[in-house]
Amino acid sequence: RQGKKNMRGVDGPYEWDESGGVGAAEEQQTAQAMQATVDNQRKQREAQESDRDNKRTIATEIKAKVDKWRQGKKNMRGVDGPYEWDESGGVGAAEEQQTAQAMQATVDNQRKQREAQESDRDNKRTIATEIKAKVDKWRQGKKNMRAILSTLHEIVPPGTKWEPVGLAKLLQPTDVKKAYRKALLVIHTDKLPETASAEDQVLAQEVFDAVREAWAAFQHEL
């Protein structure tokens, strides 16, 4: 976006079509509302990340506490060595063993579930990082709204109903606005096919945010 100071990607002002343009106040209100939505979504994602990190820290601390407590406790009574069994009132050894095995199986299953959840979060975080880098690379050199819209087809997720738009169709500000609004409708995550993968969902959101940021910059140039 560097060097492109307006929606046409060239320096200097241009004439505004008063008959077809939108009022500056209305455009500013729309831009502010959209920016507030972007900020709120970003804050929500950051809060979720922070919450997951806190839970992971708590889980690690508690596990260490339990492991420390278990050290040296080699049987169910918490002392070393065998013990005498009270035949008159005790529970059979086989039943006690079954109970211990069932409890251990439950503990193992819960641990596996936690590990699977941790692995899933790590995978999602890795995917998000890779996709953000991909979108950032696509945005390099595209310094205005027209450049973003005219190359949008190169980055949108597969199955997205977006038709390429040439620069010739983006000459007037009203043309740019029309294409921008259509882009938001097409690449919104709610508009993706039901078969869209998690990666496609993340990609659509990143591209959606990039388009809105470009539009906000464009409005400041009007």
Side-chain angles (χ1 to χ4, degrees), residues 39 41-51 53:
D39 293 340
Q41 290 176 341
R42 182 173 291 108
K43 288 179 180 178
Q44 289 176 358
R45 290 197 296 270
E46 292 174 351
Q48 291 172 351
E49 287 291 331
S50 177
D51 181 62
D53 291 340

Side-chain angles (χ1 to χ4, degrees), residues 4-219:
K4 296 185 174 58
K5 301 181 180 178
N6 58 38
M7 285 299 288
R8 292 192 171 89
V10 295
D11 296 342
Y14 58 85
E15 294 297 325
W16 175 258
D17 183 4
E18 296 293 344
S19 62
V22 179
E26 180 183 349
E27 290 293 345
Q28 185 176 10
Q29 291 175 355
T30 302
Q32 291 174 344
M34 293 177 66
Q35 187 59 47
T37 301
V38 172
D39 293 340
N40 287 334
Q41 290 176 341
R42 182 173 291 108
K43 288 179 180 178
Q44 289 176 358
R45 290 197 296 270
E46 292 174 351
Q48 291 172 351
E49 287 291 331
S50 177
D51 181 62
R52 284 194 291 267
D53 291 340
N54 289 337
K55 288 181 178 178
R56 185 179 295 108
T57 301
I58 291 171
T60 301
E61 294 174 350
I62 291 176
K63 185 177 185 302
K65 180 178 180 181
V66 173
D67 289 342
K68 182 178 180 180
W69 166 74
R70 292 178 64 183
Q71 289 177 357
K73 298 178 177 65
K74 300 180 180 180
N75 59 35
M76 285 299 290
R77 287 192 171 92
V79 295
D80 296 343
Y83 58 87
E84 295 297 326
W85 183 257
D86 182 4
E87 296 291 346
S88 61
V91 180
E95 182 178 347
E96 186 183 51
Q97 184 178 9
Q98 290 176 353
T99 301
Q101 290 174 345
M103 292 174 64
Q104 186 60 47
T106 300
V107 172
D108 291 341
N109 287 333
Q110 291 175 341
R111 181 177 292 108
K112 288 179 180 179
Q113 289 177 357
R114 289 195 299 270
E115 291 174 350
Q117 291 172 350
E118 288 291 329
S119 177
D120 183 62
R121 283 195 289 268
D122 290 340
N123 289 337
K124 288 182 178 179
R125 186 177 293 108
T126 299
I127 291 172
T129 300
E130 292 174 350
I131 290 177
K132 186 177 186 305
K134 180 180 178 181
V135 174
D136 289 342
K137 183 177 180 180
W138 164 72
R139 293 179 64 180
Q140 288 180 354
K142 298 175 178 64
K143 301 176 182 178
N144 58 46
M145 192 65 187
R146 288 183 175 85
I148 291 289
L149 292 172
S150 64
T151 59
L152 189 60
H153 61 281
E154 299 175 359
I155 194 67
V156 292
T160 304
K161 297 179 180 179
W162 173 259
E163 298 294 333
V165 179
L167 288 173
K169 295 182 179 180
L170 300 171
L171 296 178
Q172 298 299 323
T174 52
D175 298 331
V176 175
K177 182 176 182 179
K178 181 179 179 181
Y180 161 71
R181 288 183 170 178
K182 181 179 179 180
L184 292 189
L185 292 175
V186 171
I187 63 178
H188 194 279
T189 53
D190 291 342
K191 301 298 182 180
L192 292 178
E194 295 182 357
T195 57
S197 63
E199 290 85 348
D200 291 341
Q201 293 280 346
V202 176
L203 176 59
Q205 185 62 54
E206 287 290 338
V207 175
F208 187 83
D209 292 343
V211 170
R212 290 200 299 186
E213 289 176 9
W215 174 256
F218 169 71
Q219 288 185 305

